[in-house]
Amino acid sequence: MAIDIDSPEQHAAMIEKLDLPFPMLSDPDRSLAIEPYGLSNPDDARRLAITATLLIDPAGEEVERLVSRDYADRPPEEQVLETLRGLGLDAVDQPVPKVGRAEPGPYAMRLADLTTYFRG
């Protein structure tokens, strides 16, 4: 599941475009998940959330917090899987995601706006 400040309509467009296999929840006033989990970014004038992966157990307890530099910086898959295996939960089946459309949708960022994410 992903949570951010975007509208449900923006999330629906992203889910459709990328055929995401998980829900995206909207927290525009930051009161439902962003603030309660301490993910507000005081250094961002737009009040965007800190990019992080939180692993929550079935009892609702946070078992791991992996903070990233930006949306493209994700923790290694094996690190997340190792933590999840340690919870001893039963595996679930899920269909393989389909590849989404290649063309930009109505909410796509312009290429010039992505330069801050280019590293190297």
Side-chain angles (χ1 to χ4, degrees), residues 69-115:
R69 291 179 310 217
D70 58 46
Y71 79 93
D73 175 34
R74 298 291 181 203
E77 201 172 278
E78 191 53 42
Q79 182 178 359
V80 173
L81 292 173
E82 183 179 324
T83 299
L84 293 174
R85 285 186 200 106
L87 296 176
L89 303 172
D90 292 331
V92 296
D93 287 324
Q94 156 181 324
V96 176
K98 296 176 290 185
V99 177
R101 299 187 326 258
E103 68 275 0
Y107 299 107
M109 291 178 74
R110 296 176 311 122
L111 184 59
D113 296 333
L114 294 173
T115 56

Side-chain angles (χ1 to χ4, degrees), residues 1 5 14-15 26 36 38 44 47 49 54-55 57-58 64-65 68-69 72 75 83 85 87 93-94 96 111:
M1 167 185 335
I5 63 170
M14 186 177 303
I15 289 168
S26 191
D44 190 307
R47 297 182 53 227
L54 300 183
L55 301 177
D57 70 13
E64 188 159 17
R65 174 181 295 246
S68 303
R69 291 179 310 217
T83 299
R85 285 186 200 106
L87 296 176
D93 287 324
Q94 156 181 324
V96 176
L111 184 59

